[in-house]
């Protein structure tokens, strides 16, 4: 008897070429504000800015669209950044005491940032007691050929640039002490070097400031001390542009102006000494700037200095000019700041035009030329987390009319901001013009919805919508306190938009849905509020219609233990131009809304919570349907997300019940013995022999019907399809729950001219229960050609091709474990793919995406994109559900990143890599949004002379990848990878990200002082070591001090 074996067909070369033209994975750009910034620098010649972070990233920004990133090899905090002005090089200092030289290079005609080399001062800087060589401050000379280093031990060292070689011209604090008066020494050291400033007119002279208060003007060329200034404990120094004087700031909250005179080598008294917020004890003035202006009065800017007792917790920056005094009050800590001013010697004055302040949570820019010093709106680096992001929603191909109206409403909100051009305008954006507009909507914890321009690299804020104004909340009286405090001293002015506090947690936005053709918006919140809004170009003063929908339907035995509903305001409310609330639908019980959808053409909005779902006709202001989805044992749903009375006893009881049930089911399967069992064993043996016929599937245990929160409504959708019979189609509504149940309702929607006369009616048509009771994540109806149905108004306005209504439709139901296509109207299974059984992962996010080919604009395919709990992305064909490609996208440990992911309809996506940053990625080979920019530099050395390494640095989060379909795992490549997998599994070192083996060994043990005492050296010994190194090299250390 002949034995036939069925093998999988090999890869189709033509299909593989099509897949390469359709799919490609790229992490393209990071939107938002860098997480945990730690350093700031500005190049006035190139007009670009650099921000360093605690994760070791350096991000360079210029004109909108000009940005690129570099990442240090070691994860260490960037403490300082300094540009070599106009040359495209910069030096960074990390908290591990290493210095790194970076080069702005070119790759495919676009600029990128590359690390060239690094350097660290000799010494055991890792041990705190020997940190005398730890660098505290850097200064790049104006000639850009020398880097000056100040250390904790009081020494000053010099490095050649760009080679980073140590020069034998070090200056140590004991030589400085020889020129200090006897009464100032007192047997104490000068302390760490706090500040280094080059003389504005004589580049060979350097101002050196020590922590104890001594300031030295040292002549680098003649190698002697010109002047000594004896002051108080020092924080920072800055030269006046003329070079005849300088300003020092101090730890007591004051600053001093010192005159530089060659006739007086030792000066003990400043020209002026001021404590702006005295006489009571004040905090230190950490940095000060002194800029000359055309008006003759100097512009003084400093951070800190607040009275300790009254305002010691404030984060402030003060601006003084003549009699004008403004104290900028921020909501996060000041990291650093600089002014945009004239640096060429042709100008006699600084004449600053803008102040740029880097804060811990945002970037603020002040217009110093306009009256009142207003803020300049930032075209990028917007703080996405001004209030914590709770949900996201993306709209592709936004109509021009809607775009213009949203932009217009946003401009009217920015009346307090100036229209001055963005001052950081270096580089050139080479990206092509945007073909279509994209909107990204983010819902926030404080009840606001923010609209962002996501069309390009720079994520720019357009419009802010607040829902708190329609509710009575307890914190509205804070405004009066703020107004009363404005007349007090200091003259505070609130600046910035970062506000981490929410007036009421119930205001949090959970779901958003926008119809881009009608301008209707639905915002659903944490307390069961569903708000319908219309877009209006004029302000309005009107009352909001209220409606209540009881989702429990008088079911007995359930008592809501969670938060109360938000009380709406009574009477009319004034609304600014933009989206204005019209109807407020309150779900009862007031649980958080878990799903919402809108069909503007039918005037219907559907919403779901953990108790059920409802359908509302907002044209007639009347509920159409309310369905309770609670299981009798689902008492956890009655406690709400803000409740603290969750039953530990019940959760333990359910856990033990599942364990007992799995054990019993295992025993039952083990004792089964019947004549048919031998046949099953024989079939199993045949299956093992022909293992390549069917892939290995994991056994999935059915979920219990009484699992907690089984009634949560996970998804809702509207569709015009066949539900009652195969000849008549009509409006339908679909709902999917956490227990794997799908409800399909046939809707009787009147004609448009009869909306006011007839009401919408809903009739349950189908009820589907999935076998394993896995939560339903998404539902989508496909037409006769297998294409998704068009959006409302697209067909009626000739914006999309009409769906195929001749052939039978199908519905695609995606659960956490599998995808399944059912034929309509009989709801018979057509095809399915068991993702959990095959891949061992669960579905978290699903979207239907249209992929366009790179080879031909006319060719495109629809795909089902799936993000799993392991952070990988799968793409399947629709409706055949054949696996196409798989990519690793998000770390499986990054739960918040996976939960925040949102896909676009053109094959891109966004997810949060930090509370303030979106990572943008692309799955499409054609649709890619990435920086394409160039910064033109002129440097005295060729890049080849400096660096032979041209490796591209990864992105700031260290996850920059570019995967093509040929590099990804597709279903057709399974056989080719088997041998590779087997060898990897047999290897003693597992480096798979999914491996649970922990091969990290801790061999440190416990360190004591006895173990390391031989390595500890004193300050003098460390300095002697440096001297010996220079003497052994044959270089005399001769330093002359007169």
């Amino acid at each position: 008897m002949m034995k036939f074996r069925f093998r999988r067909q090999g890869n189709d070369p033509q299909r593989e070429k099509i897949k390469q033209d359709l799919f490609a994975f790229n992490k393209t750009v990071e939107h938002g504000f860098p997480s945990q910034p730690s350093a700031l620098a500005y190049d006035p010649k190139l007009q670009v800015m650099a921000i360093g972070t605690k994760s070791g990233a350096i991000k360079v920004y210029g004109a909108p669209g000009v940005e690129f990133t570099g990442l240090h090899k070691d994860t260490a905090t960037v403490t300082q950044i300094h540009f070599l002005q106009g040359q495209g090089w910069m030096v960074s200092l990390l908290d591990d005491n290493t210095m790194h030289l970076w080069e702005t290079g070119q790759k495919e005609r676009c600029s990128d940032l590359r690390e060239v080399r690094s350097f660290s001062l000799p010494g055991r800087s890792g041990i705190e007691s020997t940190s005398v060589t730890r660098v505290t401050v850097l200064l790049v000379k104006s000639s850009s050929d020398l880097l000056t280093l100040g250390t904790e031990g009081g020494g000053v060292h010099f490095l050649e640039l760009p080679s980073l070689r140590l020069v034998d011209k070090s200056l140590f604090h004991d030589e400085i002490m020889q020129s200090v008066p006897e009464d100032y020494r007192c047997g104490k050291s000068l302390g760490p070097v706090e500040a280094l400033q080059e003389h504005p007119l004589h580049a060979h002279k350097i101002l050196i400031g020590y922590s104890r208060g001594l300031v030295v003007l040292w002549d680098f060329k003649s190698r002697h001390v010109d002047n000594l200034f004896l002051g108080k404990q020092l924080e920072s120094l800055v030269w006046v542009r003329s070079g005849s004087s300088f300003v020092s700031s101090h730890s007591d909250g004051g600053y001093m102006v010192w005159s530089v005179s060659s006739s007086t080598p030792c000066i003990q008294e400043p020209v002026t000494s001021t404590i702006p917020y005295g006489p009571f004890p004040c905090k230190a003035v950490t940095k000060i700037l002194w800029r000359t202006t055309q008006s003759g009065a100097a512009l003084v800017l400093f951070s800190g200095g607040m009275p300790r007792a009254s305002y010691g917790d404030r984060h402030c920056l003060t601006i003084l000019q003549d009699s004008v005094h403004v104290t900028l009050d921020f909501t996060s800590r000041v990291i650093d700041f600089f002014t945009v001013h004239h640096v060429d010697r042709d100008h006699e004055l600084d004449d600053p035009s803008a102040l740029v302040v880097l804060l811990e949570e945002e970037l603020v820019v002040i217009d110093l030329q306009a009256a009142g010093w207003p803020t300049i709106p930032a075209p990028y680096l917007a703080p996405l987390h001004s209030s914590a992001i709770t949900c996201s929603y993306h709209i592709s191909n936004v109509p021009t009319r809607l775009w213009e109206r949203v932009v217009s409403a946003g401009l009217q909100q920015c009346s307090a901001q100036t229209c001055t051009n963005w001052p950081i305008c270096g580089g050139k954006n080479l990206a092509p013009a945007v073909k279509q507009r994209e909107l990204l909507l983010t819902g926030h914890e404080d009840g606001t919805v923010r609209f962002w321009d996501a069309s390009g690299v720079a994520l720019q804020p357009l419009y802010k919508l607040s829902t708190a104004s329609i509710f009575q909340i307890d914190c509205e009286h804070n405004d009066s306190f703020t107004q009363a405090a404005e007349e007090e001293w200091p003259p505070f002015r609130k600046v910035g938009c970062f506000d981490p506090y929410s007036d009421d947690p119930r205001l949090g936005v959970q779901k958003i849905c926008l119809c881009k053709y009608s301008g209707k918006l639905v915002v659903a919140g944490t307390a069961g509020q569903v708000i319908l809004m219309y877009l209006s170009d004029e302000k309005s003063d009107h009352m909001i219609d209220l409606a209540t929908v009881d989702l429990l339907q008088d079911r007995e035995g359930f008592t809501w233990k969670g938060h109360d509903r938000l009380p709406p305001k009574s009477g009319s409310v004034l609304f600014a131009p933009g989206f204005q609330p019209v109807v407020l639908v309150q779900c009862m019980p007031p649980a958080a809304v878990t799903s919402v959808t809108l069909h503007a053409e039918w005037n219907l909005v559907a919403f779901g919570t953990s108790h059920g779902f409802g359908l509302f006709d907002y044209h007639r202001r009347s509920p159409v349907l309310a369905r309770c989805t609670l299981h009798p044992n689902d008492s956890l749903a009655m406690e709400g997300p803000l409740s603290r009375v969750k039953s530990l006893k019940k959760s333990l009881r359910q856990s033990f019940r599942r364990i007992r049930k799995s054990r019993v089911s295992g025993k039952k399967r083990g004792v089964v013995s019947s004549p048919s069992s031998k046949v099953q064993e024989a079939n199993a043996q045949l299956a093992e022999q022909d293992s390549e016929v069917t892939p290995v599937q994991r056994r999935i245990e059915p979920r219990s019907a009484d699992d907690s929160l089984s009634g949560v409504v996970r998804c809702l959708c509207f569709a015009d399809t066949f539900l009652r019979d195969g000849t008549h189609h009509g409006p339908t509504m679909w709902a999917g729950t956490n227990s794997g149940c799908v409800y399909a309702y046939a809707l009787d929607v009147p004609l448009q001219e009869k909306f006011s006369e007839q009401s919408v009616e809903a009739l349950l048509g189908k009820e589907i229960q999935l076998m394993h009771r896995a939560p339903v994540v998404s539902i989508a109806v496909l037409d006769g050609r297998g294409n998704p149905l068009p959006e409302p108004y697209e067909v009626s306005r000739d914006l999309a091709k009409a769906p195929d209504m001749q052939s039978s439709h199908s519905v695609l139901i995606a659960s956490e474990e599998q995808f399944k296509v059912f034929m309509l109207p009989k709801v018979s299974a057509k095809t399915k793919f068991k993702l959990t059984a095959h891949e061992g992962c669960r579905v978290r996010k699903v979207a239907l995406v249209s992929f366009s080919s790179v080879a031909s604009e006319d060719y495109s395919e629809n795909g089902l994109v799936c993000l799993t709990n392991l952070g990988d992305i799968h793409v399947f064909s629709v409706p055949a559900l054949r696996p196409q490609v798989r990519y690793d996208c998000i770390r499986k440990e990054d739960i918040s990143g996976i939960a925040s992911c949102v896909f676009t309809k053109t094959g891109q996506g966004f997810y949060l890599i930090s509370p303030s940053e979106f990572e943008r990625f692309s799955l499409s080979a054609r649709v890619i949004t990435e920086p394409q920019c160039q910064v033109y530099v002129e440097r005295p050395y060729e890049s080849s002379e400096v660096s032979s390494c041209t490796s591209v640095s990864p992105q700031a989060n260290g996850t920059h990848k570019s995967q093509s379909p040929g590099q990804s795992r597709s279903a057709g490549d399974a056989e080719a990878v088997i041998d590779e997998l087997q060898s990897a599994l047999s290897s003693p070192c597992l480096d798979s990200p999914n491996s649970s083996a922990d091969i990290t060994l801790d061999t440190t043990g416990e360190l004591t002082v006895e173990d390391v005492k031989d390595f500890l050296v004193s300050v003098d010994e460390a300095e002697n070591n440096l001297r010996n190194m220079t003497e052994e090299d044959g270089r005399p250390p001769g330093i002359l001090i007169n």
Side-chain angles (χ1 to χ4, degrees), residues 391 509-513 522-525 593-596 714 845:
C391 64
V509 177
Q510 296 296 323
K511 296 294 175 182
I512 305 170
C513 188
V522 176
V523 179
V593 178
T594 56
S595 180
V596 71
R714 294 285 294 272
K845 299 285 183 177

Side-chain angles (χ1 to χ4, degrees), residues 511-738:
K511 296 294 175 182
I512 305 170
C513 188
L514 172 65
C515 176
K516 60 184 179 182
Y517 300 111
S518 63
K520 295 174 182 176
L521 173 68
V522 176
V523 179
T526 305
Q529 69 270 28
V530 180
I531 309 169
L532 179 73
M533 304 185 180
Y534 289 176
L535 181 58
S536 174
D537 299 327
E538 304 292 336
K539 63 180 181 180
S540 175
D541 190 353
H542 63 266
M543 293 183 61
I544 302 173
D545 294 327
L546 306 177
T548 302
V549 177
D550 183 14
L551 297 180
L552 289 182
Q553 293 294 290
D554 300 326
R555 183 173 293 195
E556 298 179 357
F558 291 93
T559 303
W560 173 248
K561 303 175 185 178
H563 50 264
D564 295 330
R565 59 182 289 181
L566 280 167
K569 287 184 178 179
S570 58
S572 61
V573 182
L574 179 63
F575 298 103
F579 285 95
Q580 300 173 353
V582 177
V583 183
L584 170 61
V585 182
Q586 180 63 55
C587 300
M588 296 301 292
V593 178
T594 56
S595 180
V596 71
T597 187
L598 169 70
H599 201 295
E601 206 166 4
W602 298 341
N603 293 330
L604 295 176
V605 57
F607 44 85
T609 69
S610 56
H611 306 119
F613 56 89
L615 182 63
F616 189 81
D617 181 354
Y618 58 81
H619 183 80
R620 293 175 57 88
R621 308 293 198 265
S622 63
V624 177
L625 169 69
R627 174 68 182 260
C628 181
T629 57
L630 282 178
H631 190 273
N633 296 331
D634 204 359
S635 62
L636 193 60
M638 305 306 296
E639 297 177 357
L642 304 180
S643 174
R644 298 185 180 180
V645 293
K646 296 186 184 295
S647 174
L648 177 62
K649 185 186 297 183
K650 179 171 180 180
S651 62
L652 290 174
R653 187 188 308 121
Q654 289 174 345
S655 300
F656 283 116
R657 188 177 300 166
R658 292 193 194 100
I659 296 173
R660 193 181 306 116
K661 184 180 299 182
S662 62
R663 287 176 178 173
V664 172
S665 61
K667 291 178 181 179
K668 289 181 179 179
R669 283 189 295 270
V671 298
V672 171
S673 177
S674 63
S676 62
S677 62
K678 295 183 178 181
V679 179
Q680 294 176 359
E681 290 178 4
N683 290 337
Q685 292 177 359
L686 288 174
E688 290 177 2
Q689 294 175 1
D690 300 336
S691 59
E692 62 232 354
V693 175
T694 57
V696 177
Q697 296 187 16
R698 293 165 177 81
R699 183 171 56 86
I700 307 300
E701 287 287 345
R703 305 191 185 196
S704 175
D706 60 351
D707 281 352
S708 298
L709 298 176
S710 61
V712 175
V713 179
R714 294 285 294 272
C715 57
L716 293 161
C717 81
F718 290 108
D720 185 358
T721 187
F722 302 91
L723 187 61
R724 296 175 179 174
D725 54 60
T727 57
H728 300 88
H729 63 88
T732 61
M733 186 196 75
W734 301 72
T737 70
N738 237 17

Side-chain angles (χ1 to χ4, degrees), residues 38 54 164 276 341 371 376 425 494 572 640 664 700:
S38 56
K54 291 184 178 180
L164 290 185
H341 61 277
I376 302 175
C425 54
K494 277 285 184 183
S572 61
V664 172
I700 307 300

Side-chain angles (χ1 to χ4, degrees), residues 390-611:
T390 51
C391 64
S392 304
Y393 186 81
H394 184 271
I395 304 103
S396 301
N397 198 13
V398 180
T400 304
R401 176 58 177 159
L402 174 65
W403 183 270
E404 293 175 348
R405 297 175 71 185
V406 170
V407 171
S408 175
L411 290 175
Q412 297 182 56
Q413 293 179 332
C414 303
S415 57
Q417 295 180 331
T418 180
C419 298
T420 305
N421 293 330
W422 183 245
I424 304 167
C425 54
K428 183 178 181 181
N429 184 12
L430 303 178
V434 176
K435 295 182 179 179
Q436 62 179 25
R437 298 291 188 179
E438 297 182 27
L439 277 176
L440 180 64
L441 277 60
T442 55
H444 296 264
E445 192 179 35
D446 61 354
T448 59
V449 178
R450 287 171 167 82
F451 291 64
W452 308 90
D453 179 4
S455 310
V457 172
L459 191 68
Q460 185 174 355
L462 297 178
Y463 171 68
K464 175 184 173 182
L465 167 67
S466 177
T467 61
S469 59
I470 66 175
F471 298 106
Q472 298 177 7
I473 51 180
D474 298 332
C475 301
E476 294 177 344
H477 60 276
N478 287 346
D479 296 339
S480 60
F481 291 144
T482 303
Q483 293 174 1
E486 288 179 355
E487 300 177 359
E488 297 179 358
W489 178 262
F492 290 116
R493 181 201 294 176
K494 277 285 184 183
V495 180
C497 60
F498 176 72
D499 184 10
Y501 306 106
S502 173
D503 292 340
D504 195 317
R506 296 173 295 176
L507 290 170
V509 177
Q510 296 296 323
K511 296 294 175 182
I512 305 170
C513 188
L514 172 65
C515 176
K516 60 184 179 182
Y517 300 111
S518 63
K520 295 174 182 176
L521 173 68
V522 176
V523 179
T526 305
Q529 69 270 28
V530 180
I531 309 169
L532 179 73
M533 304 185 180
Y534 289 176
L535 181 58
S536 174
D537 299 327
E538 304 292 336
K539 63 180 181 180
S540 175
D541 190 353
H542 63 266
M543 293 183 61
I544 302 173
D545 294 327
L546 306 177
T548 302
V549 177
D550 183 14
L551 297 180
L552 289 182
Q553 293 294 290
D554 300 326
R555 183 173 293 195
E556 298 179 357
F558 291 93
T559 303
W560 173 248
K561 303 175 185 178
H563 50 264
D564 295 330
R565 59 182 289 181
L566 280 167
K569 287 184 178 179
S570 58
S572 61
V573 182
L574 179 63
F575 298 103
F579 285 95
Q580 300 173 353
V582 177
V583 183
L584 170 61
V585 182
Q586 180 63 55
C587 300
M588 296 301 292
V593 178
T594 56
S595 180
V596 71
T597 187
L598 169 70
H599 201 295
E601 206 166 4
W602 298 341
N603 293 330
L604 295 176
V605 57
F607 44 85
T609 69
S610 56
H611 306 119

